């Protein structure tokens, strides 16, 4: 059974940092592209960043220069380091992986950026 578990969210002040984790069981993350998404209240889910099987990474514009996605194959975990957080970054962050019609989601972790 495949399970993705996100953690690391919380309340942080503007300008602060958080590191989110996406830990997997039942699937080897290094064999797939892993994507971080976020969804703010009243807004559609949007892509944040992804890391491909070969390790190349990509970011949407709002994440460039502030967020870093990485992978620890030994821990079967993908991370999202988020720096210089802004109130607009407040959302539930979720990771996704899989292939074709078979994809998996975690339950998400709440990130709240507020003073």
């Amino acid at each position: 059974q495949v399970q993705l578990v996100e953690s690391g969210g919380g309340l942080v002040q503007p300008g602060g940092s958080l590191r989110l984790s996406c830990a997997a069981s039942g699937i080897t993350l290094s064999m797939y592209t892993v994507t971080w998404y976020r969804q703010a209240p009243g807004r559609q889910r949007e892509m944040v960043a992804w890391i491909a099987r070969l390790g190349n990474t990509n970011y949407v514009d709002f994440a460039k220069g502030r967020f870093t996605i990485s992978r620890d194959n030994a821990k079967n975990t993908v991370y999202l380091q988020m720096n210089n957080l802004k109130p607009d970054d407040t959302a539930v962050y979720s990771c996704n992986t899989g292939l074709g019609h078979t994809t998996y989601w975690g339950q998400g972790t709440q990130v709240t950026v507020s003073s």
Side-chain angles (χ1 to χ4, degrees):
Q1 182 180 358
V2 175
Q3 190 174 19
L4 301 179
V5 179
E6 299 95 337
S7 61
L11 174 64
V12 64
Q13 292 186 342
S17 298
L18 286 173
R19 189 178 79 156
L20 307 184
S21 300
C22 171
S25 58
I27 190 170
T28 302
L29 292 182
S30 61
M31 299 299 293
Y32 302 92
T33 293
V34 178
T35 304
W36 280 99
Y37 289 84
R38 71 183 188 182
Q39 187 167 20
R43 299 180 64 176
Q44 288 191 332
R45 184 169 58 202
E46 59 183 350
M47 195 176 297
V48 178
W50 64 97
I51 183 165
R53 186 172 61 87
L54 295 181
N56 45 305
T57 60
N58 219 326
Y59 302 88
V60 298
D61 284 347
F62 65 75
K64 290 179 180 177
R66 299 192 300 131
F67 296 0
T68 303
I69 189 170
S70 62
R71 187 175 64 209
D72 185 331
N73 294 338
K75 295 183 178 180
N76 204 23
T77 299
V78 169
Y79 301 99
L80 184 68
Q81 176 69 42
M82 306 189 295
N83 298 327
N84 190 22
L85 284 162
K86 305 174 182 180
D88 282 350
D89 295 318
T90 296
V92 175
Y93 286 71
S94 302
C95 59
N96 169 271
T97 193
L99 190 64
H101 295 293
T102 304
T103 63
Y104 306 96
W105 291 90
Q107 83 290 348
T109 185
Q110 175 71 47
V111 171
T112 303
V113 185
S114 175
S115 55

